[in-house]
Amino acid sequence: MTPTVARLAPAGRPASLLRGLVSAPFLYVAAALLLSAGVLLAFLVAPLDASGLGFTQKIFYFHAAIAETALIAFAVALVAAVLRLVRSAGPPAGLEVAAVRLGLFFSGLVMVTGMIWGRAAWGVWWAWEPRLTTFLMALLVYAAYFVVRGSIDDVQRRETVGSVYAIIAFVTVPVTFFATRYLPEGLHPVVMTASEARMETSMALTFAVCTLGMVALLAALLRSEVALAAGAGALDEVKDLLEER
Amino acid sequence: MAGRQLIALLRRDLLLETRRLQTVLSMVIFAVVAMVVVRYGWSADLQGPSGASFPSGDTAPVGEAGPTVGAVPAAMLWVIFVFAAMLGLSRTFAHEREDDCLDGLLLCPVDRVLVFCAKAITNLALLLVMQVVAIPVFGLFFLEGSAVRLLVCTPVVLLADIGLASVGTLVATMVLHARSRDLVLPVVLLPLLVPVVIAATSATAAIVDRGAPLADVLGRLGFLAAYDAVFLVLAWGTYGLLMRD
């Protein structure tokens, strides 16, 4: 019991440079700067799309960046789950839960930005085509993660089943990713392919800045969530200790 | 060794199912009743005020854009199969729980993966028995003249059933110790089965509507086989963890 309480006390050693670079405040500042730069680049620097999408194409800088960030969040959950199952001292359960939760959060944003663009480009908010359908499915699969975890009382069992589920749920991510590329009846445009990125340099730069900004935001939020979960766990332990006395 | 153990486990599960035909009977009755309801509603819809009627697949406008007559019954067929499968899957561990056999099963010196295999094969057998009755009924109700084409669907049905049984058994094990597991099972299982349902539906519809390109059906079959393989590998990798105690 006491070690956790001791861990909450401020660490005595000086923080290294690397530690400072991945600290939550730094990541929040980096995300804010990169995303602001991304907005400026997208609207002031990047040229208008010539392929017929016109001004509406600008939402892609954010839509695609958020989508990639959501997939990264689910990948983080997968890696955390595998490490937790393979090694007895893996990352804390809080990381896996936070990654799934943030993946869902970013997926919701993908839905919103995608629907706005779909309304402008296709004239409808939603179309039952492969990318949208598989993405919605992935969203539902990950939402069920919390149903599974919430229904199991035993802590040990809940974390094992949760980790196994986080691994299984990841199957939906490659299905979503490849839906646009291999299914014939898709409407969703494909910009990046293995052989070429059909973009001008300034467009690619804008896209890269936006993606980095979103990933920095994800990392910052992940850090905060993990710290919050650890704090909540420690608080529970302290409460238990107080009750024992 | 492993083969003999698997046969012993399988014999036990199948014996339990055949002694009380309750599960398979309820699956068959559910499937047939659901088809009657849909067939009735469907004919009422098609012979509506406009007087338009498409009595069978033969007079369907083939090759037009949008769903043809074959696509709607095929989708209904697979939705009914999934819900019928759910009836069987929710009973996967019912015997073990109700008669306190779970501890005995876990004490057996057998690889946990064999327990999974026995349960999955039992669920597969239940599905196949249900379909042997339900698919001819489907042909009778919805296809009439072209019902013989359903025989071509056999590989689709087999591959999709392996997917339903393996994913279903895995999820049934995950929610084994959950509170209100009968509620959690469908919530978790249905989104994971969406890819199977979509692929099986489009393959079935392509076969039932004449003139479907063979390559299209083969692509769906390949997807179903890949999905099955991924989940079998995941089950093999995680089942020991799920049934640790």
mmCIF file with all atom_site columns, all heavy atoms in Angstrom, chain B residues 21-44:
data_model
loop_
_atom_site.group_PDB
_atom_site.id
_atom_site.type_symbol
_atom_site.label_atom_id
_atom_site.label_alt_id
_atom_site.label_comp_id
_atom_site.label_asym_id
_atom_site.label_entity_id
_atom_site.label_seq_id
_atom_site.pdbx_PDB_ins_code
_atom_site.Cartn_x
_atom_site.Cartn_y
_atom_site.Cartn_z
_atom_site.occupancy
_atom_site.B_iso_or_equiv
_atom_site.pdbx_formal_charge
_atom_site.auth_seq_id
_atom_site.auth_comp_id
_atom_site.auth_asym_id
_atom_site.auth_atom_id
_atom_site.pdbx_PDB_model_num
ATOM 1   N N   . LEU B 1 21 ? -32.709 -31.247 -26.944 1.00 0.00 ? 21 LEU B N   1
ATOM 2   C CA  . LEU B 1 21 ? -32.599 -30.545 -28.222 1.00 0.00 ? 21 LEU B CA  1
ATOM 3   C C   . LEU B 1 21 ? -33.051 -29.091 -28.112 1.00 0.00 ? 21 LEU B C   1
ATOM 4   O O   . LEU B 1 21 ? -33.235 -28.420 -29.112 1.00 0.00 ? 21 LEU B O   1
ATOM 5   C CB  . LEU B 1 21 ? -33.428 -31.278 -29.271 1.00 0.00 ? 21 LEU B CB  1
ATOM 6   C CG  . LEU B 1 21 ? -32.843 -32.627 -29.675 1.00 0.00 ? 21 LEU B CG  1
ATOM 7   C CD1 . LEU B 1 21 ? -33.829 -33.401 -30.509 1.00 0.00 ? 21 LEU B CD1 1
ATOM 8   C CD2 . LEU B 1 21 ? -31.537 -32.447 -30.416 1.00 0.00 ? 21 LEU B CD2 1
ATOM 9   N N   . GLN B 1 22 ? -33.180 -28.622 -26.881 1.00 0.00 ? 22 GLN B N   1
ATOM 10  C CA  . GLN B 1 22 ? -33.753 -27.301 -26.622 1.00 0.00 ? 22 GLN B CA  1
ATOM 11  C C   . GLN B 1 22 ? -33.092 -26.190 -27.454 1.00 0.00 ? 22 GLN B C   1
ATOM 12  O O   . GLN B 1 22 ? -33.770 -25.414 -28.121 1.00 0.00 ? 22 GLN B O   1
ATOM 13  C CB  . GLN B 1 22 ? -33.577 -27.007 -25.146 1.00 0.00 ? 22 GLN B CB  1
ATOM 14  C CG  . GLN B 1 22 ? -34.483 -25.938 -24.623 1.00 0.00 ? 22 GLN B CG  1
ATOM 15  C CD  . GLN B 1 22 ? -34.029 -25.515 -23.230 1.00 0.00 ? 22 GLN B CD  1
ATOM 16  O OE1 . GLN B 1 22 ? -32.977 -25.919 -22.759 1.00 0.00 ? 22 GLN B OE1 1
ATOM 17  N NE2 . GLN B 1 22 ? -34.819 -24.705 -22.596 1.00 0.00 ? 22 GLN B NE2 1
ATOM 18  N N   . THR B 1 23 ? -31.743 -26.146 -27.424 1.00 0.00 ? 23 THR B N   1
ATOM 19  C CA  . THR B 1 23 ? -31.055 -25.037 -28.080 1.00 0.00 ? 23 THR B CA  1
ATOM 20  C C   . THR B 1 23 ? -31.293 -25.052 -29.583 1.00 0.00 ? 23 THR B C   1
ATOM 21  O O   . THR B 1 23 ? -31.701 -24.049 -30.176 1.00 0.00 ? 23 THR B O   1
ATOM 22  C CB  . THR B 1 23 ? -29.545 -25.127 -27.801 1.00 0.00 ? 23 THR B CB  1
ATOM 23  O OG1 . THR B 1 23 ? -29.345 -25.243 -26.413 1.00 0.00 ? 23 THR B OG1 1
ATOM 24  C CG2 . THR B 1 23 ? -28.845 -23.888 -28.315 1.00 0.00 ? 23 THR B CG2 1
ATOM 25  N N   . VAL B 1 24 ? -31.033 -26.200 -30.210 1.00 0.00 ? 24 VAL B N   1
ATOM 26  C CA  . VAL B 1 24 ? -31.126 -26.234 -31.666 1.00 0.00 ? 24 VAL B CA  1
ATOM 27  C C   . VAL B 1 24 ? -32.578 -26.047 -32.112 1.00 0.00 ? 24 VAL B C   1
ATOM 28  O O   . VAL B 1 24 ? -32.850 -25.374 -33.113 1.00 0.00 ? 24 VAL B O   1
ATOM 29  C CB  . VAL B 1 24 ? -30.498 -27.528 -32.216 1.00 0.00 ? 24 VAL B CB  1
ATOM 30  C CG1 . VAL B 1 24 ? -31.343 -28.738 -31.948 1.00 0.00 ? 24 VAL B CG1 1
ATOM 31  C CG2 . VAL B 1 24 ? -30.222 -27.396 -33.694 1.00 0.00 ? 24 VAL B CG2 1
ATOM 32  N N   . LEU B 1 25 ? -33.509 -26.571 -31.312 1.00 0.00 ? 25 LEU B N   1
ATOM 33  C CA  . LEU B 1 25 ? -34.918 -26.386 -31.663 1.00 0.00 ? 25 LEU B CA  1
ATOM 34  C C   . LEU B 1 25 ? -35.309 -24.921 -31.602 1.00 0.00 ? 25 LEU B C   1
ATOM 35  O O   . LEU B 1 25 ? -35.983 -24.409 -32.503 1.00 0.00 ? 25 LEU B O   1
ATOM 36  C CB  . LEU B 1 25 ? -35.801 -27.190 -30.708 1.00 0.00 ? 25 LEU B CB  1
ATOM 37  C CG  . LEU B 1 25 ? -36.205 -28.577 -31.181 1.00 0.00 ? 25 LEU B CG  1
ATOM 38  C CD1 . LEU B 1 25 ? -37.115 -29.218 -30.152 1.00 0.00 ? 25 LEU B CD1 1
ATOM 39  C CD2 . LEU B 1 25 ? -36.896 -28.488 -32.531 1.00 0.00 ? 25 LEU B CD2 1
ATOM 40  N N   . SER B 1 26 ? -34.846 -24.234 -30.547 1.00 0.00 ? 26 SER B N   1
ATOM 41  C CA  . SER B 1 26 ? -35.237 -22.818 -30.463 1.00 0.00 ? 26 SER B CA  1
ATOM 42  C C   . SER B 1 26 ? -34.593 -22.026 -31.590 1.00 0.00 ? 26 SER B C   1
ATOM 43  O O   . SER B 1 26 ? -35.209 -21.088 -32.116 1.00 0.00 ? 26 SER B O   1
ATOM 44  C CB  . SER B 1 26 ? -34.901 -22.231 -29.096 1.00 0.00 ? 26 SER B CB  1
ATOM 45  O OG  . SER B 1 26 ? -33.667 -22.660 -28.662 1.00 0.00 ? 26 SER B OG  1
ATOM 46  N N   . MET B 1 27 ? -33.362 -22.406 -32.008 1.00 0.00 ? 27 MET B N   1
ATOM 47  C CA  . MET B 1 27 ? -32.737 -21.703 -33.129 1.00 0.00 ? 27 MET B CA  1
ATOM 48  C C   . MET B 1 27 ? -33.534 -21.901 -34.414 1.00 0.00 ? 27 MET B C   1
ATOM 49  O O   . MET B 1 27 ? -33.792 -20.949 -35.161 1.00 0.00 ? 27 MET B O   1
ATOM 50  C CB  . MET B 1 27 ? -31.300 -22.206 -33.322 1.00 0.00 ? 27 MET B CB  1
ATOM 51  C CG  . MET B 1 27 ? -30.333 -21.684 -32.283 1.00 0.00 ? 27 MET B CG  1
ATOM 52  S SD  . MET B 1 27 ? -28.768 -22.589 -32.296 1.00 0.00 ? 27 MET B SD  1
ATOM 53  C CE  . MET B 1 27 ? -28.012 -21.927 -33.759 1.00 0.00 ? 27 MET B CE  1
ATOM 54  N N   . VAL B 1 28 ? -33.938 -23.151 -34.681 1.00 0.00 ? 28 VAL B N   1
ATOM 55  C CA  . VAL B 1 28 ? -34.681 -23.442 -35.911 1.00 0.00 ? 28 VAL B CA  1
ATOM 56  C C   . VAL B 1 28 ? -36.006 -22.695 -35.907 1.00 0.00 ? 28 VAL B C   1
ATOM 57  O O   . VAL B 1 28 ? -36.379 -22.030 -36.884 1.00 0.00 ? 28 VAL B O   1
ATOM 58  C CB  . VAL B 1 28 ? -34.911 -24.961 -36.039 1.00 0.00 ? 28 VAL B CB  1
ATOM 59  C CG1 . VAL B 1 28 ? -35.916 -25.254 -37.140 1.00 0.00 ? 28 VAL B CG1 1
ATOM 60  C CG2 . VAL B 1 28 ? -33.604 -25.674 -36.314 1.00 0.00 ? 28 VAL B CG2 1
ATOM 61  N N   . ILE B 1 29 ? -36.719 -22.786 -34.770 1.00 0.00 ? 29 ILE B N   1
ATOM 62  C CA  . ILE B 1 29 ? -38.044 -22.165 -34.715 1.00 0.00 ? 29 ILE B CA  1
ATOM 63  C C   . ILE B 1 29 ? -37.923 -20.653 -34.868 1.00 0.00 ? 29 ILE B C   1
ATOM 64  O O   . ILE B 1 29 ? -38.674 -20.016 -35.613 1.00 0.00 ? 29 ILE B O   1
ATOM 65  C CB  . ILE B 1 29 ? -38.761 -22.551 -33.407 1.00 0.00 ? 29 ILE B CB  1
ATOM 66  C CG1 . ILE B 1 29 ? -39.081 -24.053 -33.445 1.00 0.00 ? 29 ILE B CG1 1
ATOM 67  C CG2 . ILE B 1 29 ? -40.033 -21.748 -33.222 1.00 0.00 ? 29 ILE B CG2 1
ATOM 68  C CD1 . ILE B 1 29 ? -39.570 -24.608 -32.150 1.00 0.00 ? 29 ILE B CD1 1
ATOM 69  N N   . PHE B 1 30 ? -36.898 -20.077 -34.195 1.00 0.00 ? 30 PHE B N   1
ATOM 70  C CA  . PHE B 1 30 ? -36.703 -18.631 -34.329 1.00 0.00 ? 30 PHE B CA  1
ATOM 71  C C   . PHE B 1 30 ? -36.479 -18.252 -35.790 1.00 0.00 ? 30 PHE B C   1
ATOM 72  O O   . PHE B 1 30 ? -37.096 -17.311 -36.302 1.00 0.00 ? 30 PHE B O   1
ATOM 73  C CB  . PHE B 1 30 ? -35.513 -18.170 -33.482 1.00 0.00 ? 30 PHE B CB  1
ATOM 74  C CG  . PHE B 1 30 ? -35.084 -16.775 -33.802 1.00 0.00 ? 30 PHE B CG  1
ATOM 75  C CD1 . PHE B 1 30 ? -35.792 -15.702 -33.311 1.00 0.00 ? 30 PHE B CD1 1
ATOM 76  C CD2 . PHE B 1 30 ? -34.004 -16.530 -34.645 1.00 0.00 ? 30 PHE B CD2 1
ATOM 77  C CE1 . PHE B 1 30 ? -35.427 -14.409 -33.632 1.00 0.00 ? 30 PHE B CE1 1
ATOM 78  C CE2 . PHE B 1 30 ? -33.639 -15.250 -34.977 1.00 0.00 ? 30 PHE B CE2 1
ATOM 79  C CZ  . PHE B 1 30 ? -34.346 -14.181 -34.460 1.00 0.00 ? 30 PHE B CZ  1
ATOM 80  N N   . ALA B 1 31 ? -35.583 -18.986 -36.463 1.00 0.00 ? 31 ALA B N   1
ATOM 81  C CA  . ALA B 1 31 ? -35.244 -18.628 -37.846 1.00 0.00 ? 31 ALA B CA  1
ATOM 82  C C   . ALA B 1 31 ? -36.481 -18.702 -38.745 1.00 0.00 ? 31 ALA B C   1
ATOM 83  O O   . ALA B 1 31 ? -36.736 -17.790 -39.540 1.00 0.00 ? 31 ALA B O   1
ATOM 84  C CB  . ALA B 1 31 ? -34.143 -19.549 -38.366 1.00 0.00 ? 31 ALA B CB  1
ATOM 85  N N   . VAL B 1 32 ? -37.252 -19.779 -38.600 1.00 0.00 ? 32 VAL B N   1
ATOM 86  C CA  . VAL B 1 32 ? -38.413 -19.940 -39.482 1.00 0.00 ? 32 VAL B CA  1
ATOM 87  C C   . VAL B 1 32 ? -39.467 -18.873 -39.179 1.00 0.00 ? 32 VAL B C   1
ATOM 88  O O   . VAL B 1 32 ? -40.021 -18.242 -40.096 1.00 0.00 ? 32 VAL B O   1
ATOM 89  C CB  . VAL B 1 32 ? -38.992 -21.369 -39.334 1.00 0.00 ? 32 VAL B CB  1
ATOM 90  C CG1 . VAL B 1 32 ? -40.283 -21.490 -40.115 1.00 0.00 ? 32 VAL B CG1 1
ATOM 91  C CG2 . VAL B 1 32 ? -37.976 -22.391 -39.830 1.00 0.00 ? 32 VAL B CG2 1
ATOM 92  N N   . VAL B 1 33 ? -39.712 -18.641 -37.885 1.00 0.00 ? 33 VAL B N   1
ATOM 93  C CA  . VAL B 1 33 ? -40.717 -17.631 -37.518 1.00 0.00 ? 33 VAL B CA  1
ATOM 94  C C   . VAL B 1 33 ? -40.304 -16.255 -38.036 1.00 0.00 ? 33 VAL B C   1
ATOM 95  O O   . VAL B 1 33 ? -41.122 -15.515 -38.616 1.00 0.00 ? 33 VAL B O   1
ATOM 96  C CB  . VAL B 1 33 ? -40.912 -17.603 -35.986 1.00 0.00 ? 33 VAL B CB  1
ATOM 97  C CG1 . VAL B 1 33 ? -41.711 -16.380 -35.576 1.00 0.00 ? 33 VAL B CG1 1
ATOM 98  C CG2 . VAL B 1 33 ? -41.615 -18.863 -35.525 1.00 0.00 ? 33 VAL B CG2 1
ATOM 99  N N   . ALA B 1 34 ? -39.027 -15.927 -37.882 1.00 0.00 ? 34 ALA B N   1
ATOM 100 C CA  . ALA B 1 34 ? -38.561 -14.618 -38.344 1.00 0.00 ? 34 ALA B CA  1
ATOM 101 C C   . ALA B 1 34 ? -38.748 -14.487 -39.848 1.00 0.00 ? 34 ALA B C   1
ATOM 102 O O   . ALA B 1 34 ? -39.150 -13.432 -40.353 1.00 0.00 ? 34 ALA B O   1
ATOM 103 C CB  . ALA B 1 34 ? -37.089 -14.436 -37.967 1.00 0.00 ? 34 ALA B CB  1
ATOM 104 N N   . MET B 1 35 ? -38.475 -15.573 -40.588 1.00 0.00 ? 35 MET B N   1
ATOM 105 C CA  . MET B 1 35 ? -38.639 -15.509 -42.046 1.00 0.00 ? 35 MET B CA  1
ATOM 106 C C   . MET B 1 35 ? -40.102 -15.335 -42.426 1.00 0.00 ? 35 MET B C   1
ATOM 107 O O   . MET B 1 35 ? -40.412 -14.598 -43.372 1.00 0.00 ? 35 MET B O   1
ATOM 108 C CB  . MET B 1 35 ? -38.086 -16.770 -42.686 1.00 0.00 ? 35 MET B CB  1
ATOM 109 C CG  . MET B 1 35 ? -36.587 -16.703 -42.838 1.00 0.00 ? 35 MET B CG  1
ATOM 110 S SD  . MET B 1 35 ? -36.036 -18.122 -43.764 1.00 0.00 ? 35 MET B SD  1
ATOM 111 C CE  . MET B 1 35 ? -34.444 -18.314 -43.042 1.00 0.00 ? 35 MET B CE  1
ATOM 112 N N   . VAL B 1 36 ? -40.982 -16.015 -41.707 1.00 0.00 ? 36 VAL B N   1
ATOM 113 C CA  . VAL B 1 36 ? -42.414 -15.855 -41.992 1.00 0.00 ? 36 VAL B CA  1
ATOM 114 C C   . VAL B 1 36 ? -42.813 -14.396 -41.803 1.00 0.00 ? 36 VAL B C   1
ATOM 115 O O   . VAL B 1 36 ? -43.476 -13.798 -42.656 1.00 0.00 ? 36 VAL B O   1
ATOM 116 C CB  . VAL B 1 36 ? -43.259 -16.770 -41.071 1.00 0.00 ? 36 VAL B CB  1
ATOM 117 C CG1 . VAL B 1 36 ? -44.733 -16.432 -41.195 1.00 0.00 ? 36 VAL B CG1 1
ATOM 118 C CG2 . VAL B 1 36 ? -43.015 -18.230 -41.418 1.00 0.00 ? 36 VAL B CG2 1
ATOM 119 N N   . VAL B 1 37 ? -42.354 -13.810 -40.712 1.00 0.00 ? 37 VAL B N   1
ATOM 120 C CA  . VAL B 1 37 ? -42.714 -12.412 -40.426 1.00 0.00 ? 37 VAL B CA  1
ATOM 121 C C   . VAL B 1 37 ? -42.194 -11.503 -41.532 1.00 0.00 ? 37 VAL B C   1
ATOM 122 O O   . VAL B 1 37 ? -42.917 -10.656 -42.067 1.00 0.00 ? 37 VAL B O   1
ATOM 123 C CB  . VAL B 1 37 ? -42.145 -11.985 -39.048 1.00 0.00 ? 37 VAL B CB  1
ATOM 124 C CG1 . VAL B 1 37 ? -42.328 -10.495 -38.845 1.00 0.00 ? 37 VAL B CG1 1
ATOM 125 C CG2 . VAL B 1 37 ? -42.814 -12.763 -37.939 1.00 0.00 ? 37 VAL B CG2 1
ATOM 126 N N   . VAL B 1 38 ? -40.925 -11.694 -41.918 1.00 0.00 ? 38 VAL B N   1
ATOM 127 C CA  . VAL B 1 38 ? -40.341 -10.817 -42.935 1.00 0.00 ? 38 VAL B CA  1
ATOM 128 C C   . VAL B 1 38 ? -41.031 -11.030 -44.282 1.00 0.00 ? 38 VAL B C   1
ATOM 129 O O   . VAL B 1 38 ? -41.338 -10.066 -44.989 1.00 0.00 ? 38 VAL B O   1
ATOM 130 C CB  . VAL B 1 38 ? -38.826 -11.056 -43.044 1.00 0.00 ? 38 VAL B CB  1
ATOM 131 C CG1 . VAL B 1 38 ? -38.242 -10.237 -44.176 1.00 0.00 ? 38 VAL B CG1 1
ATOM 132 C CG2 . VAL B 1 38 ? -38.148 -10.692 -41.745 1.00 0.00 ? 38 VAL B CG2 1
ATOM 133 N N   . ARG B 1 39 ? -41.289 -12.301 -44.619 1.00 0.00 ? 39 ARG B N   1
ATOM 134 C CA  . ARG B 1 39 ? -41.933 -12.580 -45.907 1.00 0.00 ? 39 ARG B CA  1
ATOM 135 C C   . ARG B 1 39 ? -43.300 -11.919 -45.985 1.00 0.00 ? 39 ARG B C   1
ATOM 136 O O   . ARG B 1 39 ? -43.670 -11.360 -47.017 1.00 0.00 ? 39 ARG B O   1
ATOM 137 C CB  . ARG B 1 39 ? -42.073 -14.099 -46.090 1.00 0.00 ? 39 ARG B CB  1
ATOM 138 C CG  . ARG B 1 39 ? -42.700 -14.496 -47.420 1.00 0.00 ? 39 ARG B CG  1
ATOM 139 C CD  . ARG B 1 39 ? -41.739 -14.186 -48.554 1.00 0.00 ? 39 ARG B CD  1
ATOM 140 N NE  . ARG B 1 39 ? -42.303 -14.443 -49.873 1.00 0.00 ? 39 ARG B NE  1
ATOM 141 C CZ  . ARG B 1 39 ? -42.947 -13.544 -50.597 1.00 0.00 ? 39 ARG B CZ  1
ATOM 142 N NH1 . ARG B 1 39 ? -43.146 -12.338 -50.128 1.00 0.00 ? 39 ARG B NH1 1
ATOM 143 N NH2 . ARG B 1 39 ? -43.392 -13.845 -51.791 1.00 0.00 ? 39 ARG B NH2 1
ATOM 144 N N   . TYR B 1 40 ? -44.016 -11.965 -44.866 1.00 0.00 ? 40 TYR B N   1
ATOM 145 C CA  . TYR B 1 40 ? -45.348 -11.356 -44.855 1.00 0.00 ? 40 TYR B CA  1
ATOM 146 C C   . TYR B 1 40 ? -45.234 -9.849  -45.049 1.00 0.00 ? 40 TYR B C   1
ATOM 147 O O   . TYR B 1 40 ? -45.914 -9.259  -45.894 1.00 0.00 ? 40 TYR B O   1
ATOM 148 C CB  . TYR B 1 40 ? -46.075 -11.683 -43.556 1.00 0.00 ? 40 TYR B CB  1
ATOM 149 C CG  . TYR B 1 40 ? -47.455 -11.095 -43.520 1.00 0.00 ? 40 TYR B CG  1
ATOM 150 C CD1 . TYR B 1 40 ? -48.487 -11.695 -44.216 1.00 0.00 ? 40 TYR B CD1 1
ATOM 151 C CD2 . TYR B 1 40 ? -47.710 -9.911  -42.828 1.00 0.00 ? 40 TYR B CD2 1
ATOM 152 C CE1 . TYR B 1 40 ? -49.744 -11.140 -44.240 1.00 0.00 ? 40 TYR B CE1 1
ATOM 153 C CE2 . TYR B 1 40 ? -48.964 -9.350  -42.850 1.00 0.00 ? 40 TYR B CE2 1
ATOM 154 C CZ  . TYR B 1 40 ? -49.976 -9.964  -43.552 1.00 0.00 ? 40 TYR B CZ  1
ATOM 155 O OH  . TYR B 1 40 ? -51.207 -9.416  -43.573 1.00 0.00 ? 40 TYR B OH  1
ATOM 156 N N   . GLY B 1 41 ? -44.347 -9.222  -44.260 1.00 0.00 ? 41 GLY B N   1
ATOM 157 C CA  . GLY B 1 41 ? -44.190 -7.778  -44.373 1.00 0.00 ? 41 GLY B CA  1
ATOM 158 C C   . GLY B 1 41 ? -43.696 -7.364  -45.744 1.00 0.00 ? 41 GLY B C   1
ATOM 159 O O   . GLY B 1 41 ? -44.121 -6.349  -46.297 1.00 0.00 ? 41 GLY B O   1
ATOM 160 N N   . TRP B 1 42 ? -42.839 -8.180  -46.321 1.00 0.00 ? 42 TRP B N   1
ATOM 161 C CA  . TRP B 1 42 ? -42.243 -7.873  -47.618 1.00 0.00 ? 42 TRP B CA  1
ATOM 162 C C   . TRP B 1 42 ? -43.297 -7.879  -48.710 1.00 0.00 ? 42 TRP B C   1
ATOM 163 O O   . TRP B 1 42 ? -43.373 -6.981  -49.531 1.00 0.00 ? 42 TRP B O   1
ATOM 164 C CB  . TRP B 1 42 ? -41.172 -8.919  -47.890 1.00 0.00 ? 42 TRP B CB  1
ATOM 165 C CG  . TRP B 1 42 ? -40.232 -8.590  -48.988 1.00 0.00 ? 42 TRP B CG  1
ATOM 166 C CD1 . TRP B 1 42 ? -39.521 -7.441  -49.147 1.00 0.00 ? 42 TRP B CD1 1
ATOM 167 C CD2 . TRP B 1 42 ? -39.885 -9.436  -50.083 1.00 0.00 ? 42 TRP B CD2 1
ATOM 168 N NE1 . TRP B 1 42 ? -38.752 -7.526  -50.257 1.00 0.00 ? 42 TRP B NE1 1
ATOM 169 C CE2 . TRP B 1 42 ? -38.954 -8.735  -50.858 1.00 0.00 ? 42 TRP B CE2 1
ATOM 170 C CE3 . TRP B 1 42 ? -40.262 -10.716 -50.474 1.00 0.00 ? 42 TRP B CE3 1
ATOM 171 C CZ2 . TRP B 1 42 ? -38.389 -9.274  -52.008 1.00 0.00 ? 42 TRP B CZ2 1
ATOM 172 C CZ3 . TRP B 1 42 ? -39.703 -11.256 -51.614 1.00 0.00 ? 42 TRP B CZ3 1
ATOM 173 C CH2 . TRP B 1 42 ? -38.784 -10.542 -52.372 1.00 0.00 ? 42 TRP B CH2 1
ATOM 174 N N   . SER B 1 43 ? -44.174 -8.915  -48.702 1.00 0.00 ? 43 SER B N   1
ATOM 175 C CA  . SER B 1 43 ? -45.183 -8.989  -49.757 1.00 0.00 ? 43 SER B CA  1
ATOM 176 C C   . SER B 1 43 ? -46.194 -7.869  -49.600 1.00 0.00 ? 43 SER B C   1
ATOM 177 O O   . SER B 1 43 ? -46.651 -7.292  -50.579 1.00 0.00 ? 43 SER B O   1
ATOM 178 C CB  . SER B 1 43 ? -45.876 -10.346 -49.735 1.00 0.00 ? 43 SER B CB  1
ATOM 179 O OG  . SER B 1 43 ? -46.517 -10.523 -48.496 1.00 0.00 ? 43 SER B OG  1
ATOM 180 N N   . ALA B 1 44 ? -46.525 -7.517  -48.361 1.00 0.00 ? 44 ALA B N   1
ATOM 181 C CA  . ALA B 1 44 ? -47.437 -6.400  -48.138 1.00 0.00 ? 44 ALA B CA  1
ATOM 182 C C   . ALA B 1 44 ? -46.843 -5.116  -48.692 1.00 0.00 ? 44 ALA B C   1
ATOM 183 O O   . ALA B 1 44 ? -47.547 -4.297  -49.281 1.00 0.00 ? 44 ALA B O   1
ATOM 184 C CB  . ALA B 1 44 ? -47.724 -6.254  -46.644 1.00 0.00 ? 44 ALA B CB  1
#
